[in-house]
Amino acid sequence: MSNDDVKVAEEAHAYTPGLKIKRSLRIRKLRRLPINGEVLVKVGDEVDFETPIARAMIPGDPQVLNAIAKLGIERGSLEDYMKVEVGDRVKEGQDLAGFTAMFGFWKNWLKSPVDGTVETISPVSGQIIVREDPVPVVVRSFIRGRVVEIMEDEGAYVETDAAYIQGIFGIGGEAHGEIHVVSDDTTEKITDAHISGDHRGKILVGGSLVTREALHAAVKAGVAGIVTGGIIDVDLEDLLGYEIGVAITGQEEVGFTLMITEGFGEMAMNPRTLSLLKEFEGEEAAINGATQIRAGVLRPEIIIPHSRAVEVEAEHELSSGMKPGTKIRII
């Protein structure tokens, strides 16, 4: 190998999907509605974890009712049996169409299966469509910070200076709570003995593994989140009630958010990760377990807003490639 080849090998760019562990990083989060709605903040507003950013009303699901089959009437005669009109608000169990015959001894009525609005009455198809009531959707800030940009009718960007840690896998959606270290031993298992009612609403940190019993204890205690080194796959399946797939996580409703920093099995938490979380113990943080491995990598994260006077680290510290002395993390 020539000297030129050695130099290229030493300074070659590497594929580095490593997980970020930053004491100070400027975080910008887009908080966006799934459909157009109303933005509730303006540029410069200071927001907290639960501050509403935008809201919208998502149309309810349509309920399609085969009226002629249910009533046993001829096609084209539906309008003669209707008791409501298009646009009417109806309640669950309310009569929509039908008849009473044989001096009241024979009754045949089609009732609304939901609260909603009569959207369509079709004499041709014999169908009635009742659309369920709209569902309100509110997008909240998720992090404590400042609104720096507005997307009209959609949402806003919120920015904050924070400590930032990514995990390798997680479940559960966005939550927030005070950081509490339950074990500063990176090799210790987190058991149900580490969790009590005093931990309600807190993010518990530490250890190499969270046990099955601890997972259920966390649900019972009402903790906001758990950050630990590893988990046994069958224990996770026991908590969820089904086998986890490769699709995106984050929609699970198990009662708390879980972030695994190292991987599956008993795996000691990275000392740097634990040290950083311990430094900010007692501070309120945001946590999100959403994970996606394929079709665009998305990692679980914990964000700890703070205003301590430290130099903001560069986010792309490996942009020039790896060199001797560059700190890396193998996952």
Side-chain angles (χ1 to χ4, degrees), residues 262-305:
E262 312 305 319
F264 284 90
E266 185 175 347
M267 306 185 73
M269 183 182 291
N270 184 330
R272 185 183 173 201
T273 300
L274 181 58
S275 175
L276 185 58
L277 289 167
K278 191 173 181 179
E279 177 184 347
F280 288 96
E281 185 168 16
E283 299 285 341
E284 194 161 10
I287 185 171
N288 186 3
T291 309
Q292 182 170 297
I293 307 303
R294 299 180 179 178
V297 175
L298 181 65
R299 295 291 186 184
E301 60 188 6
I302 184 166
I303 301 170
I304 314 166

Side-chain angles (χ1 to χ4, degrees), residues 79-97:
E79 290 181 333
D80 296 335
Y81 297 91
M82 292 300 306
K83 298 300 178 183
V84 295
E85 299 178 353
V86 172
D88 284 355
R89 288 271 300 118
V90 295
K91 293 289 187 181
E92 181 179 353
Q94 181 177 335
D95 291 336
L96 301 178

Side-chain angles (χ1 to χ4, degrees), residues 234-246:
V234 292
D235 292 344
L236 179 61
E237 291 170 13
D238 176 74
L239 176 69
L240 295 172
Y242 57 88
E243 184 176 351
I244 198 78
V246 296

